[in-house]
Amino acid sequence: MDSNIELEKINSLVLGKVLNYLSYGYKTKKEILKKIDTYLNKPYISLNDKPFIKNRVVERLLELDLIDDDRVLNDILSSIKNSTKAKNKHKITNFLMKKGFDYTQIGRLFDNLDPNYDLECARSDYHKILKKTDDPNKIKKYLLNKGYTFNEHGIYLLENKKKVEWCV
């Protein structure tokens, strides 16, 4: 690309596409950068121009205050608190890691949750599987597959003649 006009046109086009992507909800910086890379993966954009366009789009998004990982984290926290479906900390951690958050940010999120949150999720999942089966091995397998570890969370299942009791 030789012309600055063409470069500005591509820059505006990519910015428009990213703004459209952000119209569906706040995204993390990692998600936005991945989407910009997708839009810049065109054969008519030279390799030398891609970093320039990417930096210009990110600068503009920062000016517009559209890149804010803390805001995304707070939105996720409020949706977790308001959700009726139980999601354990293991599942939340995997979800946040895919979104590009690090362990310190995830730790801050968990600090804002109720200390008994994971235990309540385990109880909810336990009662859910109990409706389907009373086989202790299936219940244990289900809870382990959900990401619960019996020692770490203080969750124990005791077997009494094929009857499973919840003990904390």
Side-chain angles (χ1 to χ4, degrees):
M1 301 214 142
D2 297 342
S3 172
N4 285 336
I5 296 172
E6 287 183 36
L7 198 58
E8 284 301 318
K9 191 185 287 186
I10 292 173
N11 184 45
S12 297
L13 183 74
V14 171
L15 181 62
K17 287 184 176 225
V18 171
L19 289 173
N20 184 40
Y21 174 64
L22 289 172
S23 69
Y24 296 105
Y26 292 118
K27 307 291 183 196
T28 62
K29 186 172 184 175
K30 178 183 176 183
E31 292 173 308
I32 293 170
L33 292 175
K34 187 175 179 182
K35 193 56 91 169
I36 291 171
D37 288 338
T38 301
Y39 294 142
L40 290 175
N41 195 16
K42 305 292 180 200
Y44 57 84
I45 302 173
S46 74
L47 290 174
N48 297 333
D49 293 335
K50 287 180 183 184
F52 174 75
I53 295 170
K54 186 175 183 177
N55 288 336
R56 294 276 308 266
V57 170
V58 170
E59 286 173 10
R60 184 68 179 131
L61 293 173
L62 287 171
E63 288 173 14
L64 296 171
D65 195 30
L66 294 174
I67 298 178
D68 188 1
D69 286 351
D70 288 335
R71 181 176 20 202
V72 175
L73 197 62
N74 288 333
D75 287 347
I76 291 170
L77 175 64
S78 65
S79 69
I80 289 170
K81 285 182 177 179
N82 296 331
S83 176
T84 57
K85 185 176 181 184
K87 289 185 181 176
N88 63 31
K89 288 183 179 180
H90 180 73
K91 190 179 243 184
I92 295 170
T93 301
N94 286 341
F95 172 73
L96 293 173
M97 292 297 285
K98 287 178 185 175
K99 286 196 157 289
F101 291 105
D102 59 16
Y103 284 112
T104 57
Q105 293 170 314
I106 295 171
R108 279 189 292 139
L109 176 100
F110 289 147
D111 290 342
N112 292 326
L113 285 176
D114 180 31
N116 294 327
Y117 175 80
D118 213 23
L119 190 59
E120 293 301 319
C121 290
R123 281 191 178 119
S124 172
D125 286 335
Y126 171 74
H127 290 298
K128 181 179 176 181
I129 189 63
L130 199 58
K131 291 176 185 175
K132 296 178 183 178
T133 184
D134 61 351
D135 180 15
N137 292 327
K138 286 184 179 180
I139 293 172
K140 286 179 184 178
K141 183 178 176 184
Y142 175 80
L143 291 173
L144 285 171
N145 286 339
K146 284 285 197 170
Y148 298 108
T149 56
F150 295 100
N151 294 331
E152 179 182 332
H153 299 292
I155 301 165
Y156 299 96
L157 296 175
L158 299 177
E159 298 176 31
N160 292 339
K161 299 178 187 175
K162 290 196 171 188
K163 182 179 178 188
V164 179
E165 294 180 0
W166 184 263
C167 296
V168 181

